[in-house]
Amino acid sequence: HDVEQVLIGSMLGDGCIGCYPKYRDAWFTESKKIEHIDYLGWKAKILSEFGGSIREREGESGLPHLGSRQFKAAVFRTFVHPLFTQLRHIWYPNGKKVVPEGELQKLDELGLAVWYMDDGSYGVLTRSCLISTGSFTLDEQILTKDAFKEKWGLIPKIIPAGKGYGLDFLVSDTDKLLRVMAPFIHPDMVYKLGHIHPDNLGRINQMRRAYLERRRQREKERYHSDSTYREHILEHNRKCREEVRS
């Protein structure tokens, strides 16, 4: 069961199944930031029957106009196995990764947690969750949204995110979503549990205070540099004082 759910969650997330023409069978692979190598090791342990190893590598990323930056990553890759060949036919029917409805129907809380740990994020200011689904088609977004409603009574909103889409959860749904996944979240990813985990509260409060201070500074700078904005604020304050007096 754990193997199946880790594979489903990973394939919805950052996992890939590769195959060279000269090989009869395929393999599973996934890479993570070096900071999350323990999380990747947890996956490797669950998939240990397929062998493989984790290696560190260095690379370069960035946009041309912003300049590149060096990064370190951890890459896990299994040995080839007939199971991955079968799964490749399911997840890559035409050579491009899809979201198979049958696999989505098998998804349970463990698989959901793996998917969220791969592609989910918690908004400190909004207290809500977002799962990045940028590689999904719009039809697959709708299919996934329906699965959340059917399985857990959650109704995420499909929103633009980056170059694709994302599944955005209301604050009320976020609380339920996080509690459903919490028992399966790896220690490396506890920060993604947001307000429901006590270890995160100090960091959340600190980030909120920092954000409010930055916003206050921006408004102060705009007040002194933008005469139109300053007149608008002064007029608004004047009207408020008059309303209070009356």
Side-chain angles (χ1 to χ4, degrees):
H1 168 264
D2 287 1
V3 168
E4 178 183 62
Q5 290 302 315
V6 166
L7 286 173
I8 293 174
S10 296
M11 291 304 295
L12 288 168
D14 295 331
C16 300
I17 296 176
C19 183
Y20 288 135
K22 65 178 181 179
Y23 291 165
R24 182 179 63 184
D25 289 316
W27 67 85
F28 172 83
T29 185
E30 184 173 338
S31 63
K32 284 278 178 279
K33 293 180 180 178
I34 198 67
E35 293 88 346
H36 296 150
I37 192 171
D38 288 344
Y39 167 57
L40 195 60
W42 172 77
K43 285 192 178 186
K45 185 176 180 180
I46 292 175
L47 302 177
S48 60
E49 65 184 273
F50 305 109
S53 61
I54 296 177
R55 297 183 180 182
E56 297 182 17
R57 68 177 177 87
E58 293 187 359
E60 195 173 88
S61 67
L63 298 174
H65 65 287
L66 295 177
S68 60
R69 61 183 178 84
Q70 296 294 319
F71 73 93
K72 286 188 176 182
V75 182
F76 168 57
R77 176 170 164 174
T78 68
F79 297 147
V80 295
H81 194 279
L83 173 63
F84 298 128
T85 306
Q86 296 172 21
L87 291 176
R88 182 169 173 83
H89 291 315
I90 294 172
W91 287 89
Y92 301 82
N94 299 306
K96 184 178 180 181
K97 192 176 181 181
V98 301
V99 179
E101 185 174 2
E103 297 298 289
L104 194 60
Q105 289 302 317
K106 297 176 186 176
L107 186 72
D108 69 8
E109 288 76 9
L110 171 58
L112 175 60
V114 171
W115 182 17
Y116 178 71
M117 288 188 284
D118 275 12
D119 280 346
S121 60
Y122 175 84
V124 170
L125 299 176
T126 60
R127 295 172 67 92
S128 63
C129 287
L130 175 74
I131 297 180
S132 176
T133 50
S135 62
F136 296 11
T137 66
L138 183 55
D139 286 342
E140 290 169 344
Q141 306 284 341
I142 296 170
L143 182 69
T144 307
K145 176 182 177 179
D146 291 344
F148 273 103
K149 183 177 181 180
E150 178 185 338
K151 289 175 176 289
W152 296 289
L154 303 172
I155 307 177
K157 183 179 180 181
I158 301 171
I159 64 168
K163 295 181 179 180
Y165 300 95
L167 295 176
D168 188 37
F169 294 82
L170 297 173
V171 174
S172 56
D173 278 355
T174 286
D175 194 76
K176 183 177 180 181
L177 173 67
L178 293 176
R179 294 186 189 284
V180 162
M181 299 184 297
F184 308 100
I185 296 295
H186 186 272
D188 269 7
M189 300 294 179
V190 161
Y191 71 95
K192 292 192 176 188
L193 286 175
H195 62 275
I196 75 162
H197 197 286
D199 289 352
N200 294 332
L201 298 182
R203 180 181 64 88
I204 289 173
N205 291 333
Q206 183 180 18
M207 291 179 70
R208 282 180 177 157
R209 286 195 297 269
Y211 169 79
L212 292 173
E213 177 60 23
R214 288 195 301 272
R215 188 172 71 176
R216 188 185 69 81
Q217 287 294 334
R218 286 196 300 268
E219 290 178 351
K220 182 178 179 180
E221 291 171 3
R222 185 181 179 188
Y223 180 85
H224 289 291
S225 63
D226 187 336
S227 59
T228 302
Y229 177 71
R230 183 167 59 252
E231 289 299 324
H232 170 75
I233 295 297
L234 292 173
E235 178 64 17
H236 172 74
N237 291 343
R238 184 186 64 78
K239 289 181 179 180
C240 288
R241 287 194 295 270
E242 289 178 353
E243 289 177 359
V244 170
R245 292 193 191 101
S246 62

